Amino acid sequence: DSGVTQTPKHLITATGQRVTLRCSPRSGDLSVYWYQQSLDQGLQFLIQYYNGEERAKGNILERFSAQQFPDLHSELNLSSLELGDSALYFCASSVDGHNEKLFFGSGTQLSVL
Amino acid sequence: AQTVTQSQPEMSVQEAETVTLSCTYDTSENNYYLFWYKQPPSRQMILVIRQEAYKQQNATENRFSVNFQKAAKSFSLKISDSQLGDTAMYFCAFSGLDKLVFGAGTILRVKS
């Protein structure tokens, strides 16, 4: 168990809908990262937060947004969902916002039908 | 931009034997980290081993070791005494000044 908690584990929804994925980092970790894993794109970095502030941005679509709250949990919001958004979404956390030691959650499997 | 290439989509190895997974990367940075992550059928991402670019000594973690060739930008993973539990997707990853970049992965199957 990595100590990073993601909910829900599975999510099935329809095109055009909006969903929220939640992540609780390991105790003491200040930084949260979101990754998307799909068959055609592989593992893609979406966005990183450090202590509530956005630190780095990757290949995140404009339809997607995220935030990190004062208690350090993070949410990834996906809107106007398309079939191609179906993927495994990972959250990871680190103590200091550096990539040298990331701990990954078990992921949320999103299926858009 | 940094890129990570894993040229072996799939590999198989007999239980108790040794297998090497290949990885090359491209970067203009001098200080960085390299990683191998394992993703078993449970889909959990598990850090296997980490190498700091400024260290010449190859990292070792029990049955897992790397061959880091900085000039060639090569970072291979050797698994000794392969076990059935090693069956998984293995990702090579690079971390420089910003994000962690992953390769496409190599599926490793350990056969009994």
Side-chain angles (χ1 to χ4, degrees), chain A residues 10 35 37 43 45 88 90 99-100 102 104-106 109, chain B residues 33 35 37 39 43-45 50 91 95 98-100 102:
Chain A
H10 302 275
Y35 283 83
Q37 184 179 23
L43 266 161
F45 168 70
L88 183 59
F90 280 110
N99 297 323
E100 295 89 74
L102 294 191
F104 282 81
S106 55
Q109 180 67 56
Chain B
Y33 289 82
F35 308 85
Y37 280 88
Q39 188 177 38
R43 301 179 314 184
Q44 180 77 43
M45 290 290 288
R50 181 181 73 176
F91 291 97
S95 173
D98 50 19
K99 62 184 186 240
L100 188 61
F102 287 89

Short mmCIF file of all heavy atoms in Angstrom, two decimals, chain A residues 10 35 37 43 45 88 90 99-100 102 104-106 109, chain B residues 33 35 37 39 43-45 50 91 95 98-100 102:
data_model
loop_
_atom_site.label_atom_id
_atom_site.label_comp_id
_atom_site.label_asym_id
_atom_site.label_seq_id
_atom_site.Cartn_x
_atom_site.Cartn_y
_atom_site.Cartn_z
N HIS A 10 -13.48 2.75 -9.85
CA HIS A 10 -14.05 2.60 -11.19
C HIS A 10 -15.16 3.63 -11.37
O HIS A 10 -15.88 3.94 -10.41
CB HIS A 10 -14.65 1.21 -11.39
CG HIS A 10 -13.67 0.10 -11.18
ND1 HIS A 10 -12.83 -0.34 -12.18
CD2 HIS A 10 -13.39 -0.66 -10.09
CE1 HIS A 10 -12.07 -1.33 -11.72
NE2 HIS A 10 -12.40 -1.54 -10.46
N TYR A 35 -1.72 11.74 -13.54
CA TYR A 35 -1.29 11.11 -14.78
C TYR A 35 -2.47 10.39 -15.42
O TYR A 35 -3.35 9.89 -14.73
CB TYR A 35 -0.18 10.07 -14.52
CG TYR A 35 1.18 10.66 -14.28
CD1 TYR A 35 1.54 11.12 -13.03
CD2 TYR A 35 2.09 10.77 -15.32
CE1 TYR A 35 2.79 11.67 -12.81
CE2 TYR A 35 3.35 11.31 -15.11
CZ TYR A 35 3.69 11.76 -13.85
OH TYR A 35 4.93 12.31 -13.64
N GLN A 37 -3.28 7.23 -18.09
CA GLN A 37 -2.73 6.08 -18.81
C GLN A 37 -3.78 5.52 -19.76
O GLN A 37 -4.82 5.04 -19.34
CB GLN A 37 -2.27 4.99 -17.86
CG GLN A 37 -1.59 3.83 -18.57
CD GLN A 37 -1.11 2.74 -17.62
OE1 GLN A 37 -1.60 2.60 -16.50
NE2 GLN A 37 -0.12 1.97 -18.05
N LEU A 43 1.48 6.58 -20.66
CA LEU A 43 1.38 7.35 -19.41
C LEU A 43 1.74 8.80 -19.67
O LEU A 43 2.87 9.12 -20.01
CB LEU A 43 2.35 6.78 -18.37
CG LEU A 43 1.80 5.76 -17.41
CD1 LEU A 43 2.92 4.97 -16.78
CD2 LEU A 43 0.96 6.43 -16.34
N PHE A 45 1.72 12.82 -18.27
CA PHE A 45 1.62 13.73 -17.14
C PHE A 45 0.57 14.79 -17.44
O PHE A 45 0.57 15.40 -18.51
CB PHE A 45 2.98 14.37 -16.89
CG PHE A 45 2.98 15.54 -15.95
CD1 PHE A 45 2.73 15.36 -14.60
CD2 PHE A 45 3.21 16.82 -16.42
CE1 PHE A 45 2.73 16.43 -13.74
CE2 PHE A 45 3.21 17.91 -15.56
CZ PHE A 45 2.97 17.72 -14.22
N LEU A 88 -7.07 5.08 -17.45
CA LEU A 88 -6.76 4.91 -16.03
C LEU A 88 -6.09 6.20 -15.58
O LEU A 88 -5.09 6.62 -16.17
CB LEU A 88 -5.84 3.71 -15.85
CG LEU A 88 -5.43 3.32 -14.43
CD1 LEU A 88 -6.65 2.99 -13.57
CD2 LEU A 88 -4.50 2.10 -14.50
N PHE A 90 -4.13 8.16 -12.74
CA PHE A 90 -3.33 7.96 -11.53
C PHE A 90 -3.08 9.29 -10.83
O PHE A 90 -2.85 10.31 -11.46
CB PHE A 90 -1.95 7.38 -11.88
CG PHE A 90 -1.93 5.91 -12.14
CD1 PHE A 90 -1.72 5.43 -13.41
CD2 PHE A 90 -2.08 5.01 -11.09
CE1 PHE A 90 -1.69 4.07 -13.66
CE2 PHE A 90 -2.05 3.65 -11.33
CZ PHE A 90 -1.85 3.17 -12.62
N ASN A 99 10.52 14.99 -8.35
CA ASN A 99 10.08 13.72 -8.92
C ASN A 99 10.89 12.51 -8.48
O ASN A 99 10.65 11.41 -8.96
CB ASN A 99 10.13 13.80 -10.45
CG ASN A 99 9.18 14.84 -10.98
OD1 ASN A 99 8.10 15.03 -10.46
ND2 ASN A 99 9.60 15.53 -12.03
N GLU A 100 11.87 12.74 -7.59
CA GLU A 100 12.79 11.65 -7.30
C GLU A 100 12.12 10.48 -6.58
O GLU A 100 12.61 9.36 -6.65
CB GLU A 100 13.97 12.13 -6.45
CG GLU A 100 14.86 13.13 -7.15
CD GLU A 100 14.38 14.53 -6.93
OE1 GLU A 100 14.57 15.05 -5.81
OE2 GLU A 100 13.83 15.11 -7.87
N LEU A 102 8.22 9.37 -6.17
CA LEU A 102 6.77 9.48 -6.25
C LEU A 102 6.12 8.21 -5.75
O LEU A 102 6.61 7.11 -6.01
CB LEU A 102 6.32 9.70 -7.70
CG LEU A 102 6.70 10.98 -8.42
CD1 LEU A 102 5.94 11.09 -9.73
CD2 LEU A 102 6.45 12.18 -7.56
N PHE A 104 2.53 6.24 -6.04
CA PHE A 104 1.33 6.24 -6.86
C PHE A 104 0.16 5.59 -6.13
O PHE A 104 0.33 4.61 -5.42
CB PHE A 104 1.58 5.46 -8.16
CG PHE A 104 2.34 6.23 -9.19
CD1 PHE A 104 3.72 6.33 -9.13
CD2 PHE A 104 1.68 6.86 -10.24
CE1 PHE A 104 4.44 7.05 -10.08
CE2 PHE A 104 2.37 7.57 -11.20
CZ PHE A 104 3.76 7.67 -11.11
N GLY A 105 -1.02 6.15 -6.38
CA GLY A 105 -2.24 5.50 -5.95
C GLY A 105 -2.57 4.36 -6.89
O GLY A 105 -1.86 4.11 -7.87
N SER A 106 -3.67 3.68 -6.62
CA SER A 106 -4.04 2.51 -7.42
C SER A 106 -4.86 2.88 -8.65
O SER A 106 -5.20 2.01 -9.44
CB SER A 106 -4.80 1.50 -6.57
OG SER A 106 -5.90 2.12 -5.97
N GLN A 109 -10.23 3.94 -12.82
CA GLN A 109 -10.51 3.51 -14.19
C GLN A 109 -11.78 4.20 -14.66
O GLN A 109 -12.86 3.94 -14.14
CB GLN A 109 -10.68 2.00 -14.27
CG GLN A 109 -10.97 1.49 -15.68
CD GLN A 109 -9.79 1.68 -16.61
OE1 GLN A 109 -8.69 1.21 -16.35
NE2 GLN A 109 -10.02 2.37 -17.72
N TYR B 33 17.26 12.09 -12.98
CA TYR B 33 17.04 10.77 -12.39
C TYR B 33 16.43 9.86 -13.44
O TYR B 33 15.66 10.31 -14.32
CB TYR B 33 16.09 10.87 -11.20
CG TYR B 33 16.67 11.53 -9.99
CD1 TYR B 33 16.71 12.91 -9.88
CD2 TYR B 33 17.17 10.77 -8.93
CE1 TYR B 33 17.25 13.53 -8.75
CE2 TYR B 33 17.71 11.38 -7.81
CZ TYR B 33 17.74 12.76 -7.74
OH TYR B 33 18.26 13.37 -6.62
N PHE B 35 14.37 5.96 -13.70
CA PHE B 35 13.61 5.03 -12.89
C PHE B 35 13.15 3.84 -13.73
O PHE B 35 12.97 3.95 -14.93
CB PHE B 35 12.34 5.70 -12.33
CG PHE B 35 12.56 7.00 -11.63
CD1 PHE B 35 12.63 8.18 -12.35
CD2 PHE B 35 12.66 7.04 -10.26
CE1 PHE B 35 12.82 9.39 -11.72
CE2 PHE B 35 12.85 8.26 -9.60
CZ PHE B 35 12.92 9.43 -10.33
N TYR B 37 9.75 1.47 -13.23
CA TYR B 37 8.52 1.19 -12.51
C TYR B 37 7.94 -0.11 -13.03
O TYR B 37 8.01 -0.44 -14.21
CB TYR B 37 7.49 2.31 -12.72
CG TYR B 37 7.71 3.54 -11.87
CD1 TYR B 37 8.52 4.57 -12.32
CD2 TYR B 37 7.08 3.67 -10.64
CE1 TYR B 37 8.72 5.71 -11.55
CE2 TYR B 37 7.27 4.80 -9.87
CZ TYR B 37 8.09 5.82 -10.33
OH TYR B 37 8.27 6.94 -9.56
N GLN B 39 4.36 -2.36 -13.28
CA GLN B 39 2.90 -2.32 -13.19
C GLN B 39 2.36 -3.73 -13.37
O GLN B 39 2.21 -4.20 -14.49
CB GLN B 39 2.29 -1.37 -14.23
CG GLN B 39 0.79 -1.15 -14.02
CD GLN B 39 0.21 -0.16 -15.00
OE1 GLN B 39 0.57 -0.12 -16.17
NE2 GLN B 39 -0.72 0.66 -14.52
N ARG B 43 -2.43 -3.24 -11.67
CA ARG B 43 -2.30 -1.89 -12.22
C ARG B 43 -1.63 -0.90 -11.29
O ARG B 43 -1.46 0.27 -11.65
CB ARG B 43 -3.65 -1.34 -12.69
CG ARG B 43 -4.31 -2.20 -13.74
CD ARG B 43 -5.63 -1.64 -14.16
NE ARG B 43 -6.44 -1.22 -13.02
CZ ARG B 43 -7.67 -0.77 -13.14
NH1 ARG B 43 -8.25 -0.69 -14.31
NH2 ARG B 43 -8.35 -0.41 -12.07
N GLN B 44 -1.25 -1.32 -10.11
CA GLN B 44 -0.51 -0.44 -9.20
C GLN B 44 0.85 -0.10 -9.81
O GLN B 44 1.50 -0.98 -10.39
CB GLN B 44 -0.31 -1.15 -7.86
CG GLN B 44 0.45 -0.36 -6.82
CD GLN B 44 -0.38 0.72 -6.17
OE1 GLN B 44 -1.53 0.49 -5.82
NE2 GLN B 44 0.19 1.89 -6.00
N MET B 45 1.28 1.13 -9.70
CA MET B 45 2.62 1.54 -10.19
C MET B 45 3.59 1.43 -9.02
O MET B 45 3.43 2.10 -8.01
CB MET B 45 2.58 2.98 -10.70
CG MET B 45 1.81 3.15 -11.98
SD MET B 45 2.62 2.40 -13.39
CE MET B 45 3.97 3.53 -13.63
N ARG B 50 15.95 3.17 -8.84
CA ARG B 50 16.19 4.57 -9.20
C ARG B 50 17.69 4.80 -9.36
O ARG B 50 18.48 4.26 -8.59
CB ARG B 50 15.63 5.46 -8.11
CG ARG B 50 15.78 6.93 -8.35
CD ARG B 50 15.22 7.72 -7.21
NE ARG B 50 16.07 7.66 -6.04
CZ ARG B 50 15.83 8.35 -4.93
NH1 ARG B 50 14.77 9.10 -4.85
NH2 ARG B 50 16.65 8.26 -3.90
N PHE B 91 8.01 0.03 -16.92
CA PHE B 91 8.17 1.34 -17.53
C PHE B 91 9.50 1.94 -17.11
O PHE B 91 9.84 1.98 -15.92
CB PHE B 91 7.06 2.29 -17.09
CG PHE B 91 5.70 1.95 -17.61
CD1 PHE B 91 4.80 1.23 -16.84
CD2 PHE B 91 5.32 2.35 -18.88
CE1 PHE B 91 3.54 0.91 -17.32
CE2 PHE B 91 4.06 2.05 -19.37
CZ PHE B 91 3.18 1.32 -18.59
N SER B 95 13.38 11.81 -15.18
CA SER B 95 12.98 13.02 -14.49
C SER B 95 14.13 14.01 -14.50
O SER B 95 15.20 13.73 -13.96
CB SER B 95 12.58 12.71 -13.06
OG SER B 95 12.34 13.91 -12.34
N ASP B 98 11.72 19.16 -14.84
CA ASP B 98 10.30 19.25 -14.56
C ASP B 98 9.66 17.86 -14.48
O ASP B 98 9.93 17.12 -13.58
CB ASP B 98 9.57 20.15 -15.57
CG ASP B 98 9.89 19.80 -17.03
OD1 ASP B 98 10.36 18.67 -17.28
OD2 ASP B 98 9.66 20.64 -17.90
N LYS B 99 8.82 17.55 -15.40
CA LYS B 99 7.96 16.39 -15.21
C LYS B 99 8.67 15.05 -15.40
O LYS B 99 9.75 14.96 -15.96
CB LYS B 99 6.80 16.47 -16.18
CG LYS B 99 7.21 16.45 -17.65
CD LYS B 99 6.01 16.62 -18.55
CE LYS B 99 6.41 16.45 -20.00
NZ LYS B 99 6.15 17.64 -20.79
N LEU B 100 8.02 14.03 -14.90
CA LEU B 100 8.46 12.64 -15.06
C LEU B 100 7.91 12.15 -16.39
O LEU B 100 6.71 12.20 -16.62
CB LEU B 100 7.92 11.82 -13.91
CG LEU B 100 8.37 10.38 -13.72
CD1 LEU B 100 9.87 10.31 -13.48
CD2 LEU B 100 7.63 9.76 -12.54
N PHE B 102 7.58 8.99 -19.12
CA PHE B 102 7.60 7.53 -19.17
C PHE B 102 7.80 7.02 -20.59
O PHE B 102 7.35 7.65 -21.56
CB PHE B 102 6.28 6.96 -18.65
CG PHE B 102 6.10 7.08 -17.16
CD1 PHE B 102 5.53 8.20 -16.61
CD2 PHE B 102 6.49 6.04 -16.32
CE1 PHE B 102 5.36 8.31 -15.24
CE2 PHE B 102 6.32 6.14 -14.95
CZ PHE B 102 5.75 7.28 -14.41
#
